[in-house]
Amino acid sequence: MYNAIVIGARCAGAAVGTHLARQGLRVLVVDRSRFPSDVLSTHFIWPHGASYLNRLGVLDQVRAVTPAHTRVTVVNNGIALRGGIPEELLRNQFRLLHDDDSGITTEYFSVRRHVLDGMLVDNAVRAGVEFREGYTVKELLRDEDGTVVGIKGRDGTVEHAQVVIGADGRNSFVARALGIAKSDERPRCTYAYWSYFSGIPDCEAQIHRQGRLGMAMASTNHGQTMVLTWGPSEWAAGFRADVEGNFHRALGLISEEAADTVARARREERFYGTLDQAAFLRRLHGPGWLLVGDAGSFKDQCTALGITHALRDAELAAEAVGRWLGGETDRDTAMAGYAAKRRSQTAAAYYDYVCTLAEMKPLRHDELQLFAILRGNQAEIDRFIATHVDVAPVSEFFDPSNVFLLNDTAKESSRDHGAFADFEATYREHQRNPFLRVGAEVAR
Ligand SMILES: Cc1cc2nc3c(=O)[nH]c(=O)nc-3n(C[C@H](O)[C@H](O)[C@H](O)COP(=O)(O)OP(=O)(O)OC[C@H]3O[C@@H](n4cnc5c(N)ncnc54)[C@H](O)[C@@H]3O)c2cc1C
């Protein structure tokens, strides 16, 4: 009999297993994959994610093989803002969520999943987790009250535990087996295509938005750079008709400089891509079970936060299970505490923020003005970046008390940028799908 069985051994599963084992609990983590292995995902890890890796004890290993930076450049229709996430905001967030701000770092990383997930699994085993790879769970065991009490593997083995944790990704087997429906679904999302290039010197990450298109470049492992482009899902079919051609076409439309850099580099892997990033929430716990990471909620990766949030959930879930099994509180109160932290008003506002961004509407005049006004105000640039990646509450940055940013003098002084020249025509142009073949567009 285990204290906990965790299904899934990646960012959420290996991490929750590690935290539980460190509390002295008997933990089994299983995954149908073998490790190290990749998943279909880019892998940008913001400073709060890196801080969670540090708290798990794997950040030094990541740092040894992955470039680290603290400043990032965010470019919207050519308006560039360079900044980082202030340490104080990170500390506030960790104190609020975990009552503990140890291990904070302001560095970010772009670490390949076959590198990271292998490290997380090894770390879990070192912490005392019993790990079975290549093990598919095909059934949840329940007692006469419906409480989940264990698992049955495809190989016929049966294991029992006080709690079964679903860290099994967005198509969660646990959720399907228990009939946990998706809620607050947001079908409008982005498509994303990326690959890996050599010959681009290690540099700070760049994230660009130009009209309805996005692009990011980040130095990663093996001396390579990950280059990613995305756009609204309704343009995906056109893009897919010629992935390589449209990848470079998109880069050219977004940033000529970045397009030139990539054109001179050498592609080392095939293109990877996904069309489905529709967001949803699920109920997070019930008798004998709880969900962590993508199993409990998924959202578009236009802000690159799934890994960071999975690591956060893992810590929150382990804290809750520890309070219950340590006798500090009863099971239902502990689980409700976990859900309350994940489903706070701040979290709901951030979910809305990401889902709205994921629609990739052309940038409005007032949005561009905000970016233009921020130039030169480093404290507000940093606060904006922290807000964009869910370190500071969306409601604070966009609060009316911040409207000083948009007073008349500020607006006037922001109009010098080329992004405002012939704004109406550019805005109309940005609504046109650049990946439609000419004949198809005429026929439309
Ligand atoms: C295109 C794309 C780009 C992304 N880019 C980023 C990014 O830049 N930064 C970022 O932070 N996040 C990014 N994400 C999100 C990130 O990939 C996920 O949020 C993250 O992988 C969630 O981790 P997880 O541990 O919850 O689930 P997963 O990584 O999905 O792991 C689930 C595991 O459960 C196992 N499993 C499932 N069912 C069973 C079963 N029945 N029995 C045994 N094992 C089972 C699977 O084998 C798998 O290993 C991206 C996602 C996508 C789709």
Side-chain angles (χ1 to χ4, degrees):
M1 171 85 161
Y2 294 93
N3 296 116
I5 293 174
V6 183
I7 306 174
R10 295 192 184 271
C11 319
V16 74
T18 303
H19 289 302
L20 291 171
R22 285 192 183 148
Q23 295 175 28
L25 299 174
R26 190 162 175 244
V27 185
L28 172 66
V29 176
V30 301
D31 200 302
R32 64 184 174 206
S33 306
R34 296 199 174 267
F35 292 79
S37 56
D38 255 318
V39 286
L40 189 72
S41 166
T42 59
H43 33 74
F44 198 78
I45 300 189
W46 291 100
H48 37 335
S51 303
Y52 283 115
L53 294 178
N54 205 18
R55 289 151 76 94
L56 280 166
V58 295
L59 191 65
D60 286 344
Q61 274 176 276
V62 170
R63 203 184 269 122
V65 295
T66 318
H69 295 280
T70 56
R71 318 280 277 173
V72 59
T73 300
V74 180
V75 188
N76 282 291
N77 284 16
I79 303 173
L81 303 172
R82 177 172 174 266
I85 300 186
E87 183 177 325
E88 197 42 42
L89 292 182
L90 285 163
R91 288 199 183 284
N92 285 347
Q93 189 184 47
F94 275 78
R95 283 194 290 257
L96 201 70
L97 282 173
H98 307 286
D99 244 347
D100 166 23
D101 64 357
S102 58
I104 298 302
T105 176
T106 55
E107 295 163 304
Y108 64 80
F109 298 83
S110 177
V111 51
R112 294 288 298 264
R113 292 296 295 270
H114 59 262
V115 176
L116 177 68
D117 294 5
M119 287 174 180
L120 288 172
V121 160
D122 290 346
N123 192 52
V125 171
R126 276 195 301 277
V129 161
E130 191 182 319
F131 174 53
R132 289 185 208 163
E133 58 186 328
Y135 183 101
T136 303
V137 179
K138 73 157 215 202
E139 200 179 316
L140 293 180
L141 308 179
R142 303 165 86 168
D143 69 10
E144 58 283 2
D145 302 329
T147 301
V148 175
V149 293
I151 60 169
K152 185 171 185 183
R154 181 172 284 163
D155 63 2
T157 51
V158 165
E159 302 293 352
H160 288 90
Q162 286 168 287
V163 62
V164 172
I165 300 177
D168 49 352
R170 60 174 151 158
N171 299 317
S172 172
F173 160 78
V174 173
R176 282 181 286 119
L178 294 171
I180 312 300
K182 292 177 180 173
S183 60
D184 202 359
E185 291 181 69
R186 310 287 178 97
R188 299 194 67 179
C189 60
T190 66
Y191 68 82
Y193 278 86
W194 69 96
S195 190
Y196 298 90
F197 295 82
S198 60
I200 302 175
D202 172 22
C203 57
E204 291 175 354
Q206 308 173 23
I207 303 168
H208 294 251
R209 214 14 233 284
Q210 183 74 22
R212 304 195 73 191
L213 296 173
M215 186 276 247
M217 281 172 72
S219 301
T220 181
N221 309 104
H222 321 307
Q224 296 175 359
T225 299
M226 186 208 68
V227 183
L228 163 75
T229 180
W230 66 93
S233 53
E234 57 269 31
W235 289 1
F239 186 96
R240 233 165 31 133
D242 172 14
V243 170
E244 176 154 30
N246 284 329
F247 182 85
H248 291 286
R249 180 140 193 246
L251 297 189
L253 290 168
I254 296 165
S255 158
E256 281 177 22
E257 198 186 331
D260 280 353
T261 305
V262 177
R264 278 184 272 106
R266 178 189 156 97
R267 182 158 61 81
E268 298 290 352
E269 293 188 28
R270 68 177 176 89
F271 284 101
Y272 302 91
T274 180
L275 307 179
D276 175 22
Q277 297 198 69
F280 63 82
L281 307 176
R282 283 192 183 109
R283 188 150 63 84
L284 293 172
H285 66 96
W289 63 270
L290 76 153
L291 300 179
V292 292
D294 280 4
S297 62
F298 181 79
K299 59 197 168 307
D300 194 279
Q301 288 313 310
C302 57
T303 59
L305 270 175
I307 299 167
T308 295
H309 281 165
L311 295 167
R312 173 205 63 192
D313 299 348
E315 247 198 69
L316 290 174
E319 286 160 12
V321 171
R323 274 195 294 277
W324 161 41
L325 296 181
E328 200 183 304
T329 182
D330 63 90
R331 184 190 70 190
D332 293 347
T333 308
M335 298 304 140
Y338 164 65
K341 286 199 169 170
R342 280 198 55 185
R343 294 283 148 84
S344 63
Q345 275 191 13
T346 307
Y350 190 73
Y351 185 72
D352 275 338
Y353 177 77
V354 174
C355 294
T356 305
L357 274 184
E359 294 182 20
M360 296 295 288
K361 292 183 184 143
L363 289 157
R364 297 188 316 263
H365 195 274
D366 59 314
E367 290 174 311
L368 280 182
Q369 267 189 328
L370 177 64
F371 296 128
I373 290 158
L374 284 173
R375 289 172 303 162
N377 187 341
Q378 195 60 52
E380 288 297 323
I381 291 175
D382 291 347
R383 204 149 75 91
F384 165 69
I385 293 173
T387 304
H388 181 68
V389 300
D390 196 26
V391 172
V394 169
S395 56
E396 282 178 17
F397 185 80
F398 294 100
D399 187 83
S401 63
N402 235 5
V403 290
F404 74 89
L405 286 168
L406 283 172
N407 69 26
D408 287 342
T409 321
K411 279 185 188 171
E412 212 43 59
S413 70
S414 74
R415 291 224 171 101
D416 58 336
H417 198 281
F420 297 99
D422 209 1
F423 177 82
E424 290 299 326
T426 311
Y427 188 81
R428 270 197 307 278
E429 181 60 24
H430 281 161
Q431 304 195 44
R432 280 162 41 93
N433 181 348
F435 309 120
L436 280 184
R437 280 168 295 124
V438 177
E441 196 169 2
V442 170
R444 212 161 48 124

